[in-house]
């Protein structure tokens, strides 16, 4: 893969193969998102199975997030040295092995290390998916392509997590991880068949190892990159000030049963299956910056609504939550499409890996700051959530202003 002769131009795909590729990338993302999300509803069973407390379960979730961020940052040093297809398949296989290790963990220490390994491998896959989209899909259609891939979040919320929770209730906490292993193997086989070899980004010769770290640091010396990184971090921080605490608030303050929360998320996930693709096509027509600005601005209303909820019945919550999901997750679609245009093509993988790491940092920062403002009384009621809403609204307004500063490299778009 290092010889100049192995570097080929970006292949032209038939429409059918392009659609198949995008849905396989979406399914790859689906497994990564489900793997992360399913840990939280499994907490009671894990505590009982291993005799641990809530802090230990939280530590396993954090281990995944921090390792994913570290992995994304380290990946920036090597991701552009290899064929995108081969690297994606390698990391996806290791991710599958990590889930098998989770399912077979005999004690909590092995589970913790397995979750860390899952983070190290899963943290690279998101950057790989977006790098492939950036290489193959022209800029004028990249918003729609990103919208297809971003339906993975909706699929995880609608199908992945509820099915995982039901399986865990009937067959034990390990069953969702066995399911992920089977699904990942099937998706891996499909990706091996459909994805094209992508080496056009590699250039005539690989970067010498002694120059890898300086090149990584050089990513953070370009003003255009830093402005994009800032937007990405703040966008994630704003959302994570609110998102992790929705379920506890619905149970503690609204009086919903934990099973009823699944219906709320199901309603929101169903909505995003349709809105994600609509927002992606809108971004292609009207411009990625303009659409991000509008969706981020509109998302402020549901952010404030969810953090200042009046007492509502389950049906009303199911009708309201889709607006939150569609807009708060929807603003990430034009943002991700915009980010693929920021670096030059030969830096795209490294840039997106570094951005993935910084997004994990922003997620952790938002969840940590959000937790600092909350207090729980003896009856289980949570207070202080409104502060999180106002902070998220303020940060969202900042991104609406800041996005105008984020400009892509010239010329933009994937190679013809």
């Amino acid at each position: 893969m290092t010889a100049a002769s192995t570097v080929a131009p970006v292949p032209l795909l038939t429409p059918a193969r392009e659609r198949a590729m995008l849905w396989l990338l979406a399914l790859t993302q689906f497994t990564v998102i489900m793997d992360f999300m399913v840990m939280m509803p499994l907490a009671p069973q894990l505590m009982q199975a291993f005799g641990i407390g809530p802090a230990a379960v939280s530590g396993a979730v954090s281990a995944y997030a921090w390792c994913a961020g570290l992995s994304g940052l380290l990946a920036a040093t090597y991701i552009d040295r290899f064929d995108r297809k081969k690297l994606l398949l390698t990391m996806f296989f290791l991710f599958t092995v990590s889930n098998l290790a989770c399912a077979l963990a005999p004690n909590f220490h092995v589970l913790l290390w397995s979750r860390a390994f899952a983070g190290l491998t899963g943290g690279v896959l998101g950057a790989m998916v977006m790098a492939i989209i950036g290489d193959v899909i022209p800029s004028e259609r990249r918003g729609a392509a990103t919208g297809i891939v971003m339906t993975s979040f909706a699929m995880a919320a609608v199908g992945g997590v509820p099915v995982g929770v039901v399986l865990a209730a009937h067959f034990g906490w390990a069953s969702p991880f066995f399911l992920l292993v089977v699904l990942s193997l099937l998706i891996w086989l499909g990706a091996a068949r459909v994805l094209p070899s992508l080496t056009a980004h590699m250039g005539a010769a690989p970067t010498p190892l002694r120059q890898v770290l300086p090149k990584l640091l050089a990513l953070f010396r370009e003003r255009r990159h830093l402005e994009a990184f800032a937007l990405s971090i703040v966008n994630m921080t704003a959302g994570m000030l609110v998102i992790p605490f929705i379920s506890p608030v619905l149970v503690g303050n609204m009086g919903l049963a934990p099973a009823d929360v699944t219906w709320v998320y199901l309603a929101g996930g169903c909505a995003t299956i349709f809105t994600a693709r609509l927002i992606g096509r809108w971004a292609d027509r009207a411009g990625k910056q303009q659409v991000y600005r509008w969706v981020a601005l509109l998302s402020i209303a549901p952010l404030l609504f969810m953090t200042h909820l009046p007492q509502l019945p389950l049906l009303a919550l199911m009708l309201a939550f889709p607006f939150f999901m569609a807009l708060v997750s929807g603003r990430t679609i034009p943002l991700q499409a915009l980010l693929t245009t920021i670096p030059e093509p030969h830096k795209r993988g490294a840039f997106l890996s570094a951005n993935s790491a910084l997004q994990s940092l922003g997620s952790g920062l938002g969840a940590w700051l959000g937790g600092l403002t909350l207090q729980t009384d003896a009856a289980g009621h949570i207070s202080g959530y409104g502060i999180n809403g106002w902070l998220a609204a303020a940060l969202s307004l900042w991104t609406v202003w800041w996005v105008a500063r984020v400009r892509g490299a010239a010329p933009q778009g994937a190679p013809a």
Side-chain angles (χ1 to χ4, degrees):
M1 290 201 312
T2 59
S5 60
T6 65
V7 178
V10 174
L12 296 175
L13 304 183
T14 64
R17 189 177 180 188
E18 182 181 295
R19 284 194 300 272
M21 180 196 74
L22 290 174
W23 281 110
L24 282 167
L25 293 177
L27 289 170
T28 301
Q29 283 284 75
F30 163 81
T31 60
V32 176
I33 295 169
M34 177 180 170
D35 177 61
F36 176 71
M37 291 177 65
V38 81
M39 274 292 289
M40 288 171 273
L42 291 181
Q45 290 173 278
L46 293 172
M47 291 164 61
Q48 183 177 8
F50 295 118
I52 56 176
V57 179
S58 177
V61 175
S62 298
Y64 182 102
W66 290 113
C67 286
L70 175 63
S71 175
L73 189 60
L74 293 176
T77 66
Y78 64 80
I79 195 172
D80 288 320
R81 297 171 62 88
F82 301 104
D83 182 340
R84 305 271 196 227
K85 175 180 179 177
K86 291 181 179 179
L87 186 57
L88 176 74
L89 292 176
T90 299
M91 300 307 295
F92 196 23
F93 178 77
L94 293 175
F95 172 77
T96 305
V97 171
S98 72
N99 275 292
L100 182 60
C102 290
L104 298 175
N107 55 59
F108 181 71
H109 294 292
V110 174
L111 179 64
L112 183 64
W113 283 107
S114 300
R115 296 308 299 157
F117 185 51
L120 289 173
T121 53
V124 182
L125 290 174
M128 288 300 306
V129 166
M130 292 309 302
I132 290 172
I133 290 176
D135 284 353
V136 176
I137 308 298
S139 180
E140 63 272 13
R141 291 193 291 112
R142 213 170 285 164
T146 305
I148 292 175
V149 173
M150 288 299 292
T151 59
S152 56
F153 181 84
M155 290 188 291
V158 171
V161 174
V163 169
V165 172
V166 170
L167 284 176
H170 289 86
F171 303 105
W173 67 265
S175 54
F177 296 105
F178 281 120
L179 175 63
L180 277 167
V181 170
V182 174
L183 290 175
S184 298
L185 287 174
L186 293 175
I187 297 165
W188 190 95
L189 291 172
R193 180 179 178 86
V194 172
L195 290 182
S197 177
L198 296 171
T199 58
H201 60 282
M202 293 167 56
T207 302
L209 290 177
R210 66 179 181 277
Q211 297 181 15
V212 167
L213 183 59
K215 283 184 175 292
L216 173 61
L217 296 177
L219 287 175
F220 294 90
R221 287 198 289 266
E222 293 193 36
R223 181 174 179 178
R224 188 177 69 253
H225 293 177
L226 292 176
E227 290 171 343
F229 289 151
L231 177 64
S232 191
I233 291 173
V234 175
N235 180 78
M236 292 300 296
T237 301
M240 292 302 286
L241 279 164
V242 175
I243 292 171
F245 312 105
I246 291 174
S247 181
V249 168
L250 292 179
V251 173
N253 294 9
M254 297 290 105
L256 294 188
D260 291 335
V261 176
T262 301
W263 292 106
V264 176
Y265 274 91
L266 185 65
C270 287
T272 57
I273 288 177
F274 300 101
T275 59
R277 300 181 68 180
L278 291 174
I279 293 173
R281 289 195 289 267
W282 182 23
D284 288 335
R285 293 194 305 269
K288 299 165 183 63
Q289 291 167 313
Q290 184 72 3
V291 171
Y292 176 85
R293 186 179 292 113
W294 275 108
V295 179
L297 193 62
L298 291 172
S299 71
I300 292 174
L303 282 168
L304 291 175
F305 177 77
M306 289 303 301
T307 52
H308 296 81
L309 277 175
Q311 199 66 38
L312 294 173
L314 175 60
L315 180 60
L317 290 169
M318 290 177 62
L319 293 174
F321 195 61
F323 293 96
F324 176 89
M325 288 280 283
L327 293 170
V328 175
S329 66
R331 65 189 191 181
T332 306
I333 296 168
L335 173 60
Q336 291 291 87
L338 175 63
L339 290 173
T340 63
T341 70
I342 302 302
E344 292 85 0
H346 67 281
K347 297 180 181 179
R348 185 175 288 132
F351 172 86
L352 292 172
S353 293
N355 181 73
S356 178
L358 294 172
Q359 284 183 329
S360 294
L361 176 62
S363 297
L365 179 62
W368 175 70
L369 290 175
L372 292 179
T373 66
L374 303 183
Q375 296 180 342
T376 306
D377 61 23
H381 296 110
I382 297 173
S383 60
Y385 199 33
I387 298 174
N388 292 15
W390 289 112
L391 287 174
L395 291 177
S396 298
L397 281 175
W398 183 88
T399 65
V400 169
W401 167 71
W402 186 262
V403 71
R405 303 170 63 98
V406 179
R407 300 287 181 180
Q412 295 183 7

